[in-house]
Amino acid sequence: MKGKDQVLLIEIGKRIVTRRNALGWSQEVLAEAAGISPKTVSSAEQGQKALRPENLIAVSRALHLDLEYLLTGQHSQSSILGSEKLDALSPEQRNALKAIIDAFLSVC
């Protein structure tokens, strides 16, 4: 792999590492949460190997990251995850926020 492709993989890997560390997770915890092997996580974080599309989705969901952000480093304009405050929430806080939103929407 050369040039732009390698740079892209390295940048995706950096975003994975940054978010995983922010959550206080090991590679093994992320692997289990995403349903992939720790070796796959390690290869992705080092930019050595591209993740398959279904694994990219699983990693983005496990890390509670917008897929567009994971791939490009930029949040979708339509994504609620565009807020840095939301990005900093723990999985437990995200679940609580989701419950609040669900409750709000159920009465609207």
Side-chain angles (χ1 to χ4, degrees), residues 58-77:
V59 167
S60 73
R61 287 181 179 162
L63 293 173
H64 304 283
L65 283 178
D66 179 30
L67 184 58
E68 185 172 349
Y69 174 76
L70 182 59
L71 293 172
T72 68
Q74 297 183 9
H75 292 284
S76 167
Q77 289 185 4

Side-chain angles (χ1 to χ4, degrees), residues 47-61:
Q48 295 174 338
K49 192 173 177 184
L51 290 169
R52 294 187 331 227
E54 64 271 20
N55 291 342
L56 273 170
I57 292 167
V59 167
S60 73
R61 287 181 179 162

Side-chain angles (χ1 to χ4, degrees), residues 16 19-20 23-38 40-41 45 54-65 91-92 95:
I16 293 170
R19 180 62 179 164
R20 180 176 59 75
L23 293 171
W25 288 3
S26 66
Q27 288 181 339
E28 291 78 14
V29 170
L30 173 55
E32 184 164 330
I36 60 178
S37 73
T40 299
V41 171
E45 287 185 351
E54 64 271 20
N55 291 342
L56 273 170
I57 292 167
V59 167
S60 73
R61 287 181 179 162
L63 293 173
H64 304 283
L65 283 178
E92 293 81 16
N95 288 336

